[in-house]
Amino acid sequence: MENEKLSLPNYNIPEDIQNVVAITTLDRLYNWGRRSSVWPLMFGLACCAIEMIAAQTARYDMARFGMEVMRPTPRQADMMLVSGTVTKKMLPSIVRLYNQMPEPKYVVAMGACASSGGPFKEGYNVVAGIDKFLPVDVYIPGCPPTPQALIAGLIKLQEKIDKQSIKTVRWYDKNKADSNYVPMPILGPDLIDVRRNEEYKKAAATKESAS
Amino acid sequence: MTAPASTQTVDLAARFPESVTADTRPGFAGFIVKKENLLEVATAIRDEFGYDLLTAVTGVDYLAENKMEVVYHAYKTTGGPGLIFRVQVERADPVEVPSVTGIWLGAEYQEREAWDLMGIKFSGHPDLRRILMWEGFEGHPLRKDWKEAFFEEEVKPFKSRWPDGQHTYAEFKNPFRDNLSFPENFDPEKYEPENEKDLYASLENHTLKGEGGLKTDQIVVNMGPHHPSTHGVLRVAVTLEGETIMGLKPVMGYLHRNHDKIGERNTYLQIIPYTDRLDYFNSMSNNFGYCTTVEKLMKIPVAERAEYIRVIMAELSRIQNHLIFIGMLMNDLGTMYTPSLYAFEERELILDIFEAVSGARMMCNYFRFGGVVRDIPDDVLQKIKDLVVERIPAKTDEMERFLNDNEVLMGRLKGIHVINAEDAIKYSVTGPVLRAAGIPYDLRRADPYSIYDRFDFDVAVRYNGDLLDNYLIRFDEIRQSLRIVEQALKGMPQGPINSQKPAYQVRVPAGEAYGRIESPKGELAFYIVSNGKPNPYRYHVRPASFVNMTAIEHICRGSKIQDFVALLAMLDIVMGELDR
Ligand code: SF4
């Protein structure tokens, strides 16, 4: 497993100090620190947010996994938990929040709505999944996912963090500095994703002839 | 028993023979008012006939008849059945109807919604802008000839999405391969966004002017849509002078999930799970309101045992809602987390009961037309009993003891005025906020539905209309709800839990119905027009949060910015219901 390779330094400790010294990799240490203090953005969109709050409270207690420090400002957050229906009207704000988060940052799509539009997919104001705009790390199914499911999803995220290596992660790579920047969508006659302008133009020009 | 909302106690047509006719369509009630005379008639309805509370204003688009209709439901705060009157105009884009905001201020946001979603222009409206969608959006979505980008068929159930064993995606049917629709030859690069000029212009128009003396600068602050104390994705643009709020405009629609439009495509049964997601704290109450309305249309009775189950569930829901309200209020006031942890602990126990009866913690989908979907097992009944007799009363007392002796809390709540009785009625505010202002208007008593007339309970009422009363009245209501549940548990008979056979399709005769219940947040009502088909022709939700929000400008202007979150919290809004 990749994870094990990252954690085992492959270095022989002389026998006489084996009980005194432990050796691990920098990756392991670095990941351990990050995975145990993932600070989520305090950010609720809809019904799923209520289950997110419930997961913070006494019975489920997300603090056991180092995730209880909800940060209302994106500048201090590591993880965006998209908890609820993403509407077109809200999307520019979500993208802005995401862009304001410092690297390393993760996105967890909680619930059917954030993953795909869910029960409201057909709605005219609904974005069919946040992954159309942001890179999602973990999807949690459910409507709403129970707090247990949410915690299971977050443990998955921790497993993902465990597999990352300091040598290859994008946020230390000078050339990839802005690789995660998402251009702001615009609210026009409908939602305009500026990355797809050309496509829209083409489709709009042929729209009449097609239908 | 339930008084049908259509019972007329006044004869408007006799009073205005020239301009009012009775609505004689089968299944419909009320009066049709000529557009030119609307304001005159409406004034008489309020002043002469005493219908001081305008609860709902909404539009209906009769495409086949080339007509658009605006329906008004007015009630008396002294109780009793309501009065329905409507204006019919020829269909155009846009149609024009005079605004009744001069008579009932509570119509303001509802008329904006009708403009936004149906393209009905209300002349004389003080601030007619889009409310749920953004300015610049193309079209008015609730018109019957407007189709969403993922349009498949007029109504559900849709044809198979797996024709010939091949799966198709909604995306493939759209030229933009997404949930988008742009006008023909649209060029996104040349598009100039609106940039909310209208919002700020309107904010400026509705700002108080400073009172001479020292000249100060006003600043505009935007709170939300991402803000921890706006209870979801609400945004408020505030003009401040020092610490005083001089003007404010809420911006909503950040969670507008097109409930009405999706509802009109769904079959009656399919709507029930969607109503769960309106006020997501109280899915049981939402189910209750919706099923009551459809039952009214179908004219079917509800099984006796189910009536009791319904009341128990609705009241348990109210208890946990108010507990959360108290916890969240403390969060907003700065007692971060501890009180809300106490509240959530009790809530979990109530959710356990919901889960035991319905299978889901939050989205219960438990009610059916004529009853409920599953019976309550005896051990769950015992659990409920233990909760309402022992645990929750003790915990409520404990919470009250912990909080109400706190000087800081009292200092922040006492004497901060929210709204007085007169204004609350004018702004169509309902629920605990109205009752804290001294009006004992509770639909469980004022316009009884289900079997609430069998229980002995008091309508919680307080008289100061300040933050403290608004806060304490929640404790009163918890105690009354506990009383109701206790009695319901005692009186619950054995028997079937549904008066109907389970069915995927129900037959709903043509007509209209307006069903209202006392949800924990105020009056929750559904307005449904049926044309006899398996889907509602018009489906409209009148949520308490949305209409109560109409008063927010009035409530907050002139108060201090630090009280703003507390004032907002008192309205107990929830975005799923507010934006739908
Ligand atoms: S997935 Fe379900 S519970 Fe979550 S936001 Fe969407 S509708 Fe609400």
Side-chain angles (χ1 to χ4, degrees), chain A residues 46-49 83-85 110-114 117-120 142-145, chain B residues 257 277 280 362-363:
Chain A
C47 354
C48 279
S83 54
T85 319
M110 176 183 184
C113 283
F120 297 97
C143 181
Chain B
R257 300 190 279 195
R277 287 153 182 81
Y280 31 73
M362 276 172 69
M363 306 304 176

PDB file of all heavy atoms in Angstrom, chain A residues 46-49 83-85 110-114 117-120 142-145, chain B residues 257 277 280 362-363, ligand 1:
ATOM      1  N   ALA A  46     -28.021  23.998   3.402  1.00  0.00           N
ATOM      2  CA  ALA A  46     -29.427  23.618   3.482  1.00  0.00           C
ATOM      3  C   ALA A  46     -29.621  22.562   4.552  1.00  0.00           C
ATOM      4  O   ALA A  46     -28.901  22.541   5.548  1.00  0.00           O
ATOM      5  CB  ALA A  46     -29.904  23.120   2.120  1.00  0.00           C
ATOM      6  N   CYS A  47     -30.567  21.680   4.311  1.00  0.00           N
ATOM      7  CA  CYS A  47     -30.945  20.691   5.327  1.00  0.00           C
ATOM      8  C   CYS A  47     -29.744  19.902   5.828  1.00  0.00           C
ATOM      9  O   CYS A  47     -29.638  19.604   7.005  1.00  0.00           O
ATOM     10  CB  CYS A  47     -31.986  19.726   4.786  1.00  0.00           C
ATOM     11  SG  CYS A  47     -32.646  20.079   3.171  1.00  0.00           S
ATOM     12  N   CYS A  48     -28.816  19.551   4.931  1.00  0.00           N
ATOM     13  CA  CYS A  48     -27.678  18.755   5.338  1.00  0.00           C
ATOM     14  C   CYS A  48     -26.870  19.452   6.424  1.00  0.00           C
ATOM     15  O   CYS A  48     -26.250  18.797   7.251  1.00  0.00           O
ATOM     16  CB  CYS A  48     -26.782  18.491   4.143  1.00  0.00           C
ATOM     17  SG  CYS A  48     -27.369  17.142   3.127  1.00  0.00           S
ATOM     18  N   ALA A  49     -26.888  20.777   6.417  1.00  0.00           N
ATOM     19  CA  ALA A  49     -26.117  21.507   7.416  1.00  0.00           C
ATOM     20  C   ALA A  49     -26.597  21.184   8.815  1.00  0.00           C
ATOM     21  O   ALA A  49     -25.813  21.224   9.767  1.00  0.00           O
ATOM     22  CB  ALA A  49     -26.230  23.004   7.159  1.00  0.00           C
ATOM     23  N   SER A  83     -22.558  21.468   2.350  1.00  0.00           N
ATOM     24  CA  SER A  83     -23.624  20.720   2.998  1.00  0.00           C
ATOM     25  C   SER A  83     -24.973  21.229   2.550  1.00  0.00           C
ATOM     26  O   SER A  83     -25.616  21.987   3.240  1.00  0.00           O
ATOM     27  CB  SER A  83     -23.502  20.857   4.503  1.00  0.00           C
ATOM     28  OG  SER A  83     -23.456  22.225   4.823  1.00  0.00           O
ATOM     29  N   GLY A  84     -25.368  20.821   1.363  1.00  0.00           N
ATOM     30  CA  GLY A  84     -26.706  21.205   0.937  1.00  0.00           C
ATOM     31  C   GLY A  84     -26.774  21.539  -0.523  1.00  0.00           C
ATOM     32  O   GLY A  84     -25.811  21.396  -1.267  1.00  0.00           O
ATOM     33  N   THR A  85     -27.961  22.000  -0.911  1.00  0.00           N
ATOM     34  CA  THR A  85     -28.219  22.285  -2.309  1.00  0.00           C
ATOM     35  C   THR A  85     -27.416  23.493  -2.766  1.00  0.00           C
ATOM     36  O   THR A  85     -27.454  24.531  -2.122  1.00  0.00           O
ATOM     37  CB  THR A  85     -29.712  22.572  -2.505  1.00  0.00           C
ATOM     38  OG1 THR A  85     -30.446  21.652  -1.724  1.00  0.00           O
ATOM     39  CG2 THR A  85     -30.100  22.442  -3.949  1.00  0.00           C
ATOM     40  N   MET A 110     -21.393  16.906   0.713  1.00  0.00           N
ATOM     41  CA  MET A 110     -22.234  16.163   1.649  1.00  0.00           C
ATOM     42  C   MET A 110     -23.656  16.095   1.100  1.00  0.00           C
ATOM     43  O   MET A 110     -24.291  17.104   0.853  1.00  0.00           O
ATOM     44  CB  MET A 110     -22.234  16.863   3.001  1.00  0.00           C
ATOM     45  CG  MET A 110     -23.159  16.215   4.001  1.00  0.00           C
ATOM     46  SD  MET A 110     -23.177  17.125   5.541  1.00  0.00           S
ATOM     47  CE  MET A 110     -24.233  16.069   6.517  1.00  0.00           C
ATOM     48  N   GLY A 111     -24.133  14.896   0.908  1.00  0.00           N
ATOM     49  CA  GLY A 111     -25.533  14.722   0.527  1.00  0.00           C
ATOM     50  C   GLY A 111     -25.748  14.665  -0.966  1.00  0.00           C
ATOM     51  O   GLY A 111     -24.878  14.993  -1.775  1.00  0.00           O
ATOM     52  N   ALA A 112     -26.947  14.234  -1.316  1.00  0.00           N
ATOM     53  CA  ALA A 112     -27.294  14.054  -2.720  1.00  0.00           C
ATOM     54  C   ALA A 112     -27.225  15.370  -3.488  1.00  0.00           C
ATOM     55  O   ALA A 112     -26.760  15.410  -4.625  1.00  0.00           O
ATOM     56  CB  ALA A 112     -28.698  13.463  -2.811  1.00  0.00           C
ATOM     57  N   CYS A 113     -27.671  16.442  -2.864  1.00  0.00           N
ATOM     58  CA  CYS A 113     -27.721  17.721  -3.573  1.00  0.00           C
ATOM     59  C   CYS A 113     -26.333  18.193  -3.977  1.00  0.00           C
ATOM     60  O   CYS A 113     -26.104  18.563  -5.118  1.00  0.00           O
ATOM     61  CB  CYS A 113     -28.353  18.780  -2.686  1.00  0.00           C
ATOM     62  SG  CYS A 113     -30.107  18.638  -2.577  1.00  0.00           S
ATOM     63  N   ALA A 114     -25.419  18.204  -3.017  1.00  0.00           N
ATOM     64  CA  ALA A 114     -24.088  18.707  -3.323  1.00  0.00           C
ATOM     65  C   ALA A 114     -23.374  17.780  -4.293  1.00  0.00           C
ATOM     66  O   ALA A 114     -22.536  18.208  -5.080  1.00  0.00           O
ATOM     67  CB  ALA A 114     -23.275  18.852  -2.041  1.00  0.00           C
ATOM     68  N   GLY A 117     -27.077  17.359  -7.355  1.00  0.00           N
ATOM     69  CA  GLY A 117     -28.331  18.087  -7.526  1.00  0.00           C
ATOM     70  C   GLY A 117     -29.455  17.421  -6.764  1.00  0.00           C
ATOM     71  O   GLY A 117     -30.415  18.075  -6.391  1.00  0.00           O
ATOM     72  N   GLY A 118     -29.321  16.141  -6.551  1.00  0.00           N
ATOM     73  CA  GLY A 118     -30.248  15.409  -5.687  1.00  0.00           C
ATOM     74  C   GLY A 118     -31.698  15.543  -6.102  1.00  0.00           C
ATOM     75  O   GLY A 118     -31.997  15.616  -7.294  1.00  0.00           O
ATOM     76  N   PRO A 119     -32.588  15.598  -5.129  1.00  0.00           N
ATOM     77  CA  PRO A 119     -34.006  15.656  -5.468  1.00  0.00           C
ATOM     78  C   PRO A 119     -34.371  16.917  -6.246  1.00  0.00           C
ATOM     79  O   PRO A 119     -35.416  16.974  -6.871  1.00  0.00           O
ATOM     80  CB  PRO A 119     -34.705  15.627  -4.108  1.00  0.00           C
ATOM     81  CG  PRO A 119     -33.666  15.919  -3.104  1.00  0.00           C
ATOM     82  CD  PRO A 119     -32.359  15.534  -3.688  1.00  0.00           C
ATOM     83  N   PHE A 120     -33.518  17.931  -6.166  1.00  0.00           N
ATOM     84  CA  PHE A 120     -33.872  19.194  -6.801  1.00  0.00           C
ATOM     85  C   PHE A 120     -33.153  19.403  -8.126  1.00  0.00           C
ATOM     86  O   PHE A 120     -33.133  20.493  -8.644  1.00  0.00           O
ATOM     87  CB  PHE A 120     -33.551  20.347  -5.853  1.00  0.00           C
ATOM     88  CG  PHE A 120     -34.354  20.300  -4.594  1.00  0.00           C
ATOM     89  CD1 PHE A 120     -33.846  19.749  -3.439  1.00  0.00           C
ATOM     90  CD2 PHE A 120     -35.656  20.780  -4.578  1.00  0.00           C
ATOM     91  CE1 PHE A 120     -34.600  19.683  -2.287  1.00  0.00           C
ATOM     92  CE2 PHE A 120     -36.416  20.721  -3.425  1.00  0.00           C
ATOM     93  CZ  PHE A 120     -35.889  20.164  -2.277  1.00  0.00           C
ATOM     94  N   GLY A 142     -26.592  10.278   0.596  1.00  0.00           N
ATOM     95  CA  GLY A 142     -27.615  10.377   1.635  1.00  0.00           C
ATOM     96  C   GLY A 142     -28.404  11.649   1.485  1.00  0.00           C
ATOM     97  O   GLY A 142     -27.944  12.600   0.869  1.00  0.00           O
ATOM     98  N   CYS A 143     -29.597  11.648   2.035  1.00  0.00           N
ATOM     99  CA  CYS A 143     -30.428  12.843   1.925  1.00  0.00           C
ATOM    100  C   CYS A 143     -31.258  12.970   3.179  1.00  0.00           C
ATOM    101  O   CYS A 143     -32.387  12.567   3.197  1.00  0.00           O
ATOM    102  CB  CYS A 143     -31.321  12.771   0.700  1.00  0.00           C
ATOM    103  SG  CYS A 143     -32.355  14.216   0.465  1.00  0.00           S
ATOM    104  N   PRO A 144     -30.763  13.530   4.222  1.00  0.00           N
ATOM    105  CA  PRO A 144     -29.374  13.883   4.441  1.00  0.00           C
ATOM    106  C   PRO A 144     -28.573  12.666   4.904  1.00  0.00           C
ATOM    107  O   PRO A 144     -29.145  11.742   5.455  1.00  0.00           O
ATOM    108  CB  PRO A 144     -29.471  14.890   5.583  1.00  0.00           C
ATOM    109  CG  PRO A 144     -30.666  14.455   6.350  1.00  0.00           C
ATOM    110  CD  PRO A 144     -31.604  13.851   5.370  1.00  0.00           C
ATOM    111  N   PRO A 145     -27.251  12.679   4.724  1.00  0.00           N
ATOM    112  CA  PRO A 145     -26.429  11.626   5.307  1.00  0.00           C
ATOM    113  C   PRO A 145     -26.560  11.716   6.827  1.00  0.00           C
ATOM    114  O   PRO A 145     -26.611  12.811   7.367  1.00  0.00           O
ATOM    115  CB  PRO A 145     -25.001  11.991   4.886  1.00  0.00           C
ATOM    116  CG  PRO A 145     -25.153  12.977   3.798  1.00  0.00           C
ATOM    117  CD  PRO A 145     -26.450  13.672   3.990  1.00  0.00           C
TER     118      PRO A 145
ATOM    119  N   ARG B 257     -35.027  26.537  -4.262  1.00  0.00           N
ATOM    120  CA  ARG B 257     -34.874  25.241  -4.900  1.00  0.00           C
ATOM    121  C   ARG B 257     -36.069  24.898  -5.770  1.00  0.00           C
ATOM    122  O   ARG B 257     -36.329  23.747  -6.046  1.00  0.00           O
ATOM    123  CB  ARG B 257     -34.682  24.165  -3.840  1.00  0.00           C
ATOM    124  CG  ARG B 257     -33.463  24.422  -3.009  1.00  0.00           C
ATOM    125  CD  ARG B 257     -33.147  23.250  -2.138  1.00  0.00           C
ATOM    126  NE  ARG B 257     -33.958  23.226  -0.942  1.00  0.00           N
ATOM    127  CZ  ARG B 257     -33.663  22.463   0.116  1.00  0.00           C
ATOM    128  NH1 ARG B 257     -32.629  21.692   0.107  1.00  0.00           N
ATOM    129  NH2 ARG B 257     -34.430  22.486   1.178  1.00  0.00           N
ATOM    130  N   ARG B 277     -38.512  18.918   3.086  1.00  0.00           N
ATOM    131  CA  ARG B 277     -37.314  19.740   2.920  1.00  0.00           C
ATOM    132  C   ARG B 277     -37.611  21.235   2.918  1.00  0.00           C
ATOM    133  O   ARG B 277     -36.731  22.036   2.634  1.00  0.00           O
ATOM    134  CB  ARG B 277     -36.603  19.315   1.633  1.00  0.00           C
ATOM    135  CG  ARG B 277     -35.929  17.973   1.826  1.00  0.00           C
ATOM    136  CD  ARG B 277     -35.754  17.176   0.577  1.00  0.00           C
ATOM    137  NE  ARG B 277     -35.134  15.889   0.857  1.00  0.00           N
ATOM    138  CZ  ARG B 277     -35.792  14.818   1.305  1.00  0.00           C
ATOM    139  NH1 ARG B 277     -37.089  14.871   1.519  1.00  0.00           N
ATOM    140  NH2 ARG B 277     -35.153  13.696   1.539  1.00  0.00           N
ATOM    141  N   TYR B 280     -36.717  22.265   7.345  1.00  0.00           N
ATOM    142  CA  TYR B 280     -36.108  20.969   7.597  1.00  0.00           C
ATOM    143  C   TYR B 280     -35.954  20.628   9.079  1.00  0.00           C
ATOM    144  O   TYR B 280     -35.508  19.562   9.410  1.00  0.00           O
ATOM    145  CB  TYR B 280     -34.791  20.800   6.852  1.00  0.00           C
ATOM    146  CG  TYR B 280     -33.999  22.080   6.637  1.00  0.00           C
ATOM    147  CD1 TYR B 280     -33.357  22.679   7.678  1.00  0.00           C
ATOM    148  CD2 TYR B 280     -33.926  22.649   5.373  1.00  0.00           C
ATOM    149  CE1 TYR B 280     -32.639  23.841   7.469  1.00  0.00           C
ATOM    150  CE2 TYR B 280     -33.211  23.812   5.166  1.00  0.00           C
ATOM    151  CZ  TYR B 280     -32.569  24.403   6.213  1.00  0.00           C
ATOM    152  OH  TYR B 280     -31.866  25.535   6.013  1.00  0.00           O
ATOM    153  N   MET B 362     -34.523  13.134  10.020  1.00  0.00           N
ATOM    154  CA  MET B 362     -34.995  14.479   9.702  1.00  0.00           C
ATOM    155  C   MET B 362     -36.093  14.493   8.654  1.00  0.00           C
ATOM    156  O   MET B 362     -37.076  15.183   8.782  1.00  0.00           O
ATOM    157  CB  MET B 362     -33.829  15.320   9.199  1.00  0.00           C
ATOM    158  CG  MET B 362     -33.012  15.927  10.278  1.00  0.00           C
ATOM    159  SD  MET B 362     -31.572  16.686   9.573  1.00  0.00           S
ATOM    160  CE  MET B 362     -32.271  18.058   8.692  1.00  0.00           C
ATOM    161  N   MET B 363     -35.878  13.765   7.589  1.00  0.00           N
ATOM    162  CA  MET B 363     -36.831  13.816   6.478  1.00  0.00           C
ATOM    163  C   MET B 363     -37.790  12.651   6.621  1.00  0.00           C
ATOM    164  O   MET B 363     -37.564  11.576   6.084  1.00  0.00           O
ATOM    165  CB  MET B 363     -36.080  13.730   5.155  1.00  0.00           C
ATOM    166  CG  MET B 363     -35.005  14.772   5.015  1.00  0.00           C
ATOM    167  SD  MET B 363     -35.701  16.410   5.228  1.00  0.00           S
ATOM    168  CE  MET B 363     -34.241  17.405   5.150  1.00  0.00           C
TER     169      MET B 363
HETATM  170  S1  SF4 C   1     -29.247  16.102   0.076  1.00  0.00           S
HETATM  171 FE1  SF4 C   1     -31.312  16.101   0.926  1.00  0.00          FE
HETATM  172  S2  SF4 C   1     -31.029  16.739   3.040  1.00  0.00           S
HETATM  173 FE2  SF4 C   1     -29.192  17.324   1.931  1.00  0.00          FE
HETATM  174  S3  SF4 C   1     -29.532  19.408   1.235  1.00  0.00           S
HETATM  175 FE3  SF4 C   1     -30.204  18.056  -0.399  1.00  0.00          FE
HETATM  176  S4  SF4 C   1     -32.388  17.807  -0.019  1.00  0.00           S
HETATM  177 FE4  SF4 C   1     -31.497  18.569   1.858  1.00  0.00          FE
END
